[in-house]
Amino acid sequence: LLGNAGTKIRSTAAEAAKAAREAGKGQLENLGVNADAARDQVRSLVEKLGEAVKSASSAAADSVRKK
């Protein structure tokens, strides 16, 4: 549809995304965050979110039972 302009836009966007990814990765490495540490943090967060959901659903069920 856009021809050469579309190709140029897509190419520029891909280069910008790659540069942003590399810059972000560099910043994380400078902070001592690597893939394994990040994965562990995400896993921990998901576990805590799961516990919060269980607690909230249990509290909601208790509230309904009391009525």
Side-chain angles (χ1 to χ4, degrees):
L1 178 70
L2 296 175
N4 289 337
T7 301
K8 178 66 175 169
I9 291 169
R10 185 180 59 222
S11 174
T12 302
E15 290 175 16
K18 182 179 178 182
R21 184 173 43 248
E22 290 174 1
K25 187 176 178 180
Q27 287 180 344
L28 289 174
E29 287 175 359
N30 288 339
L31 293 172
V33 177
N34 59 29
D36 291 334
R39 190 176 303 113
D40 290 343
Q41 288 290 336
V42 170
R43 184 175 294 123
S44 176
L45 176 62
V46 169
E47 289 173 1
K48 289 176 184 175
L49 288 172
E51 291 170 9
V53 168
K54 286 179 189 177
S55 178
S57 63
S58 179
D62 289 345
S63 175
V64 169
R65 282 189 215 117
K66 290 179 183 178
K67 288 186 177 184

